[in-house]
Amino acid sequence: MGVSLKDIAERAGVSLATVSNVVNGYRPVGERTRQRVQQAVDELGYSPNLSARHLRRGRTGLIALAIPELTNPYFAELAEIAIREAAGLGYTLVMENTAADGDAERLLLDGSRRQTIDGLILSPVRVGRAEVLDRRAGNPLVLIGEGVYDTPYDHIAIDNVAASHAAIRHLVAIGRRRIAFLGAPPGDDRQSAQLRLRGYREALDAAGLPFRPQLVARTDGFDRTEGRRAMGDLLALDEPPDAVFGYNDLVAIGALRALTEAGRRVPEDVAVIGIDDIEDGRYGNPTLTTIAPDKEAIGRLAVRRLVARIEGTPVTGPLTVQTPFRLIRRESTGGPTT
Amino acid sequence: MGVSLKDIAERAGVSLATVSNVVNGYRPVGERTRQRVQQAVDELGYSPNLSARHLRRGRTGLIALAIPELTNPYFAELAEIAIREAAGLGYTLVMENTAADGDAERLLLDGSRRQTIDGLILSPVRVGRAEVLDRRAGNPLVLIGEGVYDTPYDHIAIDNVAASHAAIRHLVAIGRRRIAFLGAPPGDDRQSAQLRLRGYREALDAAGLPFRPQLVARTDGFDRTEGRRAMGDLLALDEPPDAVFGYNDLVAIGALRALTEAGRRVPEDVAVIGIDDIEDGRYGNPTLTTIAPDKEAIGRLAVRRLVARIEGTPVTGPLTVQTPFRLIRRESTGGPTT
DNA sequence: CTGAAAGCGCTAACAG
DNA sequence: CTGTTAGCGCTTTCAG
């Protein structure tokens, strides 16, 4: 075992409590004593044993960020932001990969992990409102990104319906009429996909365009592979779409690939738009038009809210926070080349 | 605070030690007692306080994976594998983002974190052999991916020089003669880049091709942006290259984008190859030829080695393990379309 | 401003 | 097979 408080208390000829106060800076300590202690700390290379501290304090300093897929760049980018923010607030963030699995999500909400972490940021995809309400664990929870509303927990997300409206309006504005939705969920899972699909329908309606069920392509998962496959289905239609709105950038990128392979021109034959603004989309050929959520805001706010709840700081603002988004027009809908 | 051992000891009318034994299964416990204890555990919803356990055991059950950039899909994919493997062995993996910063790496090697984690998997980019040898912290360390050899620590990586040879041989085999290297490090940092550059030179030599310094493009970092910028420099040469070997897939993808913007055809005018086999490369236009490391092997082996060191299990096999790689030919060097 | 002492919850000897 | 007990290293009253 390493150097302990006791070791340096002896070395500096003071009590444990004094050393603790020097290390933590809680209570004022005489200048001379402080220096002696500091010197001992430096000489012996002391650093506090966090397990002991946590045991005593009843907190671990760990918060978890649970996301459905680490390899989705959107979540990697979000995680990077959240890790930084947590570190700045003195917390260590551990990532949990739920792999979009309901059991994994439930286990995090209630399982044994709850003893290890002071709080949880969860991006739920399988778990619904009822299960969140049923939660027994008492530590703070912040929800991000999906549509589990009306719970007693903080929830930070973009307005999925409004984002879809913006995407469709853009496609309509550039003259498209047969607009497909790519990435409808198989069951009634994945709230955000339901919401985006709803936004799609509403926006078609608002534009006076008919809703055509055959233009809604289901995917099993939301990655490039599925986007490509489902785009293939759409291209096989008698009257294929002249535009595609992807549930996220990943499926949209898969769609771009399918279009390239099929020899279709983008955007001339088919325009494509996604959501997330992941970096791949800025470097593809063509580059991908997208709805860009404010990841910085989501990541930082989620961590700050969680930490505030953990520490009992009064929290201002509503439980549900809608973060801003903006449309970034790129080549896939006829935007600029650079 | 939650339910403690003591609570359930009282409830079940047994001693603390017995409860502990039931929970941990260390020592045999009578069937009747075990049942009573188990029942109390279930009724009260007990789960052990890990801080206390860690304090007592002197271990935390946490291992850290420190990588230079979480938003590089290569590392995200690797992290996903490592997290899974660690969970299977009863450890929680926390990700540390060094952001390719030397201070961050040194802090992890020796800093305060060392008290929190049982062991560290580090992908060093700035820190060299000397600094690794100087390390004072005593907990186990496994190095991955870069070229810090001849240390007393386990090291798992592909053979960078051999990988470069394979890449260049491929470009030569498809008839290229003016082959550029994209992603030379600015200083003498980033060992792996040095090694890949060395492999590049050796392979040119072996193929009887001259080494032309102007075909080595430096980048400041190793992302898409820098790849694109540096490719622009190469295109501005009087005699631009007919092939580009990128330090990794990310810079290669940036190069592809630069080529598209410049109206060059790939692979007809310029062939492109990278290293890493990230998923983006499989869905770009054109798709990217690459050297694919065995990420599964690297991620799993790194965790297994580390855990073995932590637990004092005898470790077989050499300190430095070279994991296999293979060349995957795609459109960017004239490979198949699907 | 500083010290003494209690105890967070758990595990691992050691006794029985 | 079960119980008792001594800490792991730290923070935090409470006294001085």
Side-chain angles (χ1 to χ4, degrees):
Chain A
M1 203 85 2
V3 189
S4 79
L5 262 198
K6 197 164 138 228
D7 296 326
I8 75 154
E10 281 168 6
R11 174 103 164 199
V14 296
S15 77
L16 288 182
T18 301
V19 181
S20 177
N21 285 328
V22 169
V23 171
N24 293 295
Y26 287 155
R27 288 194 309 188
V29 175
E31 191 45 35
R32 293 198 51 78
T33 354
R34 132 160 286 117
Q35 287 192 2
R36 278 218 312 289
V37 171
Q38 191 56 54
Q39 195 184 350
V41 165
D42 294 342
E43 284 172 11
L44 272 52
Y46 167 76
S47 63
N49 178 316
L50 297 187
S51 295
R53 176 176 286 178
H54 296 155
L55 172 57
R56 184 59 233 236
R57 294 220 252 237
R59 295 218 216 103
T60 62
L62 251 46
I63 61 181
L65 171 65
I67 58 182
E69 56 230 352
L70 183 50
T71 47
N72 182 337
Y74 173 74
F75 288 112
E77 293 173 23
L78 193 66
E80 195 160 87
I81 292 161
I83 286 176
R84 197 180 330 118
E85 184 72 14
L89 295 171
Y91 285 77
T92 300
L93 188 143
V94 328
M95 313 242 319
E96 297 281 346
N97 197 338
T98 63
D101 176 63
D103 290 335
E105 292 181 2
R106 274 181 288 274
L107 216 59
L108 278 163
L109 279 176
D110 251 333
S112 59
R113 238 326 117 59
R114 94 184 109 121
Q115 284 275 7
T116 323
I117 55 170
D118 292 340
L120 171 66
I121 300 171
L122 173 66
S123 174
V125 309
R126 287 257 129 77
V127 137
R129 178 165 176 271
E131 284 156 300
V132 169
L133 288 176
D134 268 1
R135 174 175 144 88
R136 302 172 68 194
N139 55 12
L141 169 68
V142 170
L143 299 167
I144 56 171
E146 303 269 334
V148 179
Y149 299 104
D150 296 318
T151 71
Y153 300 105
D154 289 304
H155 182 189
I156 295 153
I158 65 170
D159 182 337
N160 279 301
V161 174
S164 304
H165 279 233
I168 302 302
R169 268 202 311 274
H170 174 55
L171 295 175
V172 170
I174 62 170
R176 304 307 157 119
R177 292 294 172 267
R178 295 186 58 81
I179 301 173
F181 182 87
L182 190 69
D188 57 356
D189 278 338
R190 192 66 86 145
Q191 281 288 327
S192 61
Q194 309 288 359
L195 292 170
R196 288 174 194 181
L197 182 55
R198 199 175 94 205
Y200 160 81
R201 293 189 63 156
E202 288 178 7
L204 286 185
D205 217 49
L209 294 174
F211 170 72
R212 304 178 211 266
Q214 71 274 24
L215 290 184
V216 173
R218 301 199 171 281
T219 55
D220 179 23
F222 302 91
D223 54 17
R224 297 177 184 89
T225 314
E226 273 297 292
R228 172 162 170 255
R229 189 200 52 68
M231 187 71 230
D233 292 350
L234 289 172
L235 287 175
L237 293 174
D238 287 339
E239 294 185 277
D242 58 10
V244 174
F245 169 37
Y247 161 74
N248 66 11
D249 279 359
L250 242 30
V251 300
I253 287 171
L256 286 179
R257 178 67 200 162
L259 289 163
T260 299
E261 287 173 7
R264 298 299 204 292
R265 291 167 308 158
V266 177
E268 292 82 353
D269 299 331
V270 184
V272 178
I273 186 170
I275 298 191
D276 277 354
D277 189 28
I278 63 179
E279 214 197 38
D280 328 24
R282 300 204 277 279
Y283 285 86
N285 177 24
T287 53
L288 178 66
T289 294
T290 192
I291 301 286
D294 189 342
K295 291 178 210 117
E296 193 77 22
I298 296 173
R300 299 187 58 176
L301 193 53
V303 170
R304 284 209 301 272
R305 281 281 170 121
L306 187 68
V307 168
R309 300 289 181 195
I310 291 169
E311 299 183 346
T313 320
V315 172
T316 59
L319 233 42
T320 293
V321 179
Q322 306 253 17
T323 51
F325 62 84
R326 64 205 174 86
L327 183 122
I328 300 179
R329 188 176 184 188
R330 301 211 187 92
E331 291 164 8
S332 70
T333 62
T337 298
T338 312
Chain B
M1 205 81 8
V3 188
S4 78
L5 262 198
K6 199 165 138 226
D7 296 326
I8 75 154
E10 281 169 7
R11 174 103 165 198
V14 297
S15 78
L16 286 183
T18 300
V19 180
S20 178
N21 285 327
V22 169
V23 172
N24 293 294
Y26 287 155
R27 289 194 307 188
V29 175
E31 190 45 34
R32 294 197 51 78
T33 355
R34 131 162 287 115
Q35 288 194 0
R36 280 219 311 289
V37 171
Q38 191 55 55
Q39 195 185 350
V41 165
D42 294 341
E43 285 173 10
L44 271 51
Y46 169 76
S47 62
N49 178 318
L50 297 187
S51 296
R53 175 177 286 177
H54 296 154
L55 172 58
R56 184 58 233 237
R57 295 221 255 235
R59 294 218 217 105
T60 62
L62 252 45
I63 62 182
L65 171 66
I67 57 181
E69 56 230 352
L70 183 51
T71 46
N72 181 337
Y74 173 75
F75 289 112
E77 293 173 22
L78 193 66
E80 195 159 86
I81 293 161
I83 286 176
R84 200 182 324 120
E85 184 72 13
L89 295 171
Y91 285 77
T92 300
L93 188 144
V94 327
M95 313 244 318
E96 296 282 346
N97 197 338
T98 63
D101 176 63
D103 290 336
E105 293 181 0
R106 275 182 287 274
L107 216 58
L108 278 163
L109 279 176
D110 250 334
S112 58
R113 241 323 119 57
R114 93 185 110 122
Q115 286 274 6
T116 323
I117 55 170
D118 292 340
L120 172 65
I121 300 171
L122 174 66
S123 174
V125 309
R126 287 256 129 77
V127 138
R129 178 164 177 271
E131 284 155 300
V132 170
L133 289 175
D134 268 2
R135 173 176 142 90
R136 304 171 68 191
N139 54 13
L141 170 68
V142 170
L143 300 167
I144 56 170
E146 303 268 336
V148 179
Y149 297 105
D150 297 319
T151 71
Y153 300 106
D154 290 304
H155 183 189
I156 295 152
I158 66 170
D159 183 337
N160 279 301
V161 174
S164 303
H165 280 232
I168 302 302
R169 268 203 311 276
H170 173 58
L171 295 174
V172 170
I174 61 170
R176 305 307 159 121
R177 292 295 173 265
R178 296 186 57 82
I179 301 173
F181 182 86
L182 190 68
D188 56 356
D189 278 337
R190 191 66 84 145
Q191 282 286 329
S192 62
Q194 308 288 359
L195 292 170
R196 288 174 194 182
L197 183 54
R198 201 175 92 206
Y200 161 79
R201 294 190 62 156
E202 288 177 8
L204 287 185
D205 218 48
L209 294 174
F211 170 72
R212 304 178 210 267
Q214 71 273 23
L215 290 185
V216 173
R218 302 197 170 284
T219 56
D220 179 22
F222 302 91
D223 54 18
R224 296 177 183 89
T225 314
E226 274 296 292
R228 171 162 171 257
R229 189 199 52 68
M231 187 70 230
D233 292 350
L234 289 172
L235 287 176
L237 293 174
D238 288 341
E239 293 185 277
D242 59 11
V244 175
F245 169 38
Y247 161 74
N248 65 12
D249 279 0
L250 243 29
V251 300
I253 286 170
L256 286 179
R257 179 67 201 161
L259 289 163
T260 299
E261 286 173 7
R264 299 298 205 290
R265 292 167 308 159
V266 178
E268 293 82 352
D269 301 330
V270 184
V272 178
I273 185 170
I275 298 190
D276 278 352
D277 189 28
I278 62 180
E279 214 196 41
D280 328 24
R282 299 204 277 281
Y283 286 85
N285 176 24
T287 54
L288 178 67
T289 294
T290 192
I291 302 284
D294 188 344
K295 290 176 211 119
E296 193 77 20
I298 296 173
R300 299 187 58 177
L301 193 55
V303 170
R304 283 210 301 271
R305 281 280 171 123
L306 187 68
V307 167
R309 301 290 181 192
I310 291 168
E311 299 182 346
T313 320
V315 173
T316 60
L319 233 42
T320 293
V321 178
Q322 306 252 17
T323 50
F325 61 83
R326 64 205 174 88
L327 183 121
I328 301 179
R329 187 172 185 192
R330 301 209 187 92
E331 291 166 7
S332 70
T333 63
T337 297
T338 313

